[in-house]
Amino acid sequence: MDRPTAAIGDAPANHESIVRLVGVHKRFGNLLVLEGISLDLRAGETTVIIGESGVGKSVILKHIVRLLRPDRGEVHYRDQRIDNLPERDLAAIRPRFGFLFQLGALFDSMSVAQNVAFPIREHTRRKRHEIDKIVKEKLSMVGLDGIQAQWPAELSGGQRKRVALARAIALDPEIILYDEPTTGLDPPRADVINELIIKLQRELGVTSVVVTHDMTSAGKVSDRILMLYQGQFIFDGTPDEIIHCQDPRVRCFVEGRCHEEDLKSLQVKG
């Protein structure tokens, strides 16, 4: 991959950056998770971040939406630095982000309609009939209009993910963050989520960030793929480029193979 003028994670000069992470470090106790990563998210693109479980992919999402603060480094949304903002000043920024949590995170005590309406009630003063119209519109976008009165416990895993996605887009965000959106779903249901990610980018013009270890999903939805390894990005390129990448760490992940050191640890002595 020939990118001599830009570090991994940086956007080319001719692309508008909507979110920027600059030299972000994050440690939890003795565990160093992010080691000075920089990342420019390009407006209107779907960026997929891959890597092994526990490597820190979701930690990046939480920094983007300011659920976490970096130990060192900066996070910018458009022209504003947000990592150092007090909580009260984030109220105007957070609605610009939609977040699809890994397990959906629906409220069990609320109906489908109430779940989708929750961010609208929290962040706006819209009237009941306006909220009902938005809920219907967002559920229609994910193919679930008509189930407003149902409860999360009555839904399949795929339906719960789609309701959570309807909630994530309830405020018409500029950026949608997807945390392992296909986890726990069989391949056909997972592909429904993939198609929805593509549809929302196309129809709403959103910028999407998808964290996943599902290479089928990554290859289908992404404009750009980055791989996180031991706290740093070791790959930044297109779906086609990652297929041909010769870095053994990338190859093992893409092909679903054990690292050589893992194989050695599994040797059984006779």
Side-chain angles (χ1 to χ4, degrees), residues 175-240:
I175 303 165
I176 304 178
L177 309 177
Y178 299 86
D179 191 359
E180 300 284 5
T182 60
T183 292
L185 302 179
D186 58 48
R189 301 308 190 280
D191 199 46
V192 170
I193 300 299
N194 293 334
E195 291 290 346
L196 283 171
I197 293 172
I198 295 168
K199 173 184 178 181
L200 294 178
Q201 184 202 24
R202 182 178 63 244
E203 295 186 2
L204 302 180
V206 295
T207 302
S208 303
V209 187
V210 182
V211 155
T212 188
H213 57 261
D214 180 346
M215 286 307 302
T216 299
S217 178
K220 181 165 186 173
V221 307
S222 64
D223 296 301
R224 174 190 185 196
I225 299 177
L226 295 102
M227 181 167 173
L228 187 66
Y229 182 84
Q230 295 184 355
Q232 297 181 335
F233 290 123
I234 61 169
F235 175 86
D236 179 2
T238 66
D240 183 64

Side-chain angles (χ1 to χ4, degrees), residues 24 29 32 44 57-58 67 70 77 104 117 120 135 141 152 202 222 241:
V24 169
L32 181 60
K57 304 184 301 296
S58 298
L67 293 176
Y77 165 67
I120 309 172
V135 168
M141 291 197 75
R202 182 178 63 244
S222 64
E241 287 173 330

Side-chain angles (χ1 to χ4, degrees), residues 154-173:
E154 299 176 300
L155 307 178
S156 68
Q159 287 175 321
R160 285 195 293 272
K161 286 280 181 85
R162 288 155 68 187
V163 170
L165 184 51
R167 182 179 63 187
I169 62 174
L171 294 173
D172 297 321

Side-chain angles (χ1 to χ4, degrees), residues 34-55:
L34 302 178
E35 190 174 2
I37 68 162
S38 293
L39 172 62
D40 282 56
L41 297 178
R42 306 165 192 166
E45 285 191 356
T46 296
T47 299
V48 172
I49 302 174
I50 63 172
E52 298 173 0
S53 297
V55 77

Side-chain angles (χ1 to χ4, degrees), residues 59-71:
V59 173
I60 293 175
L61 293 187
K62 290 175 182 177
H63 277 82
I64 291 172
V65 78
R66 240 305 300 275
L67 293 176
L68 288 175
R69 292 177 186 262
D71 298 330

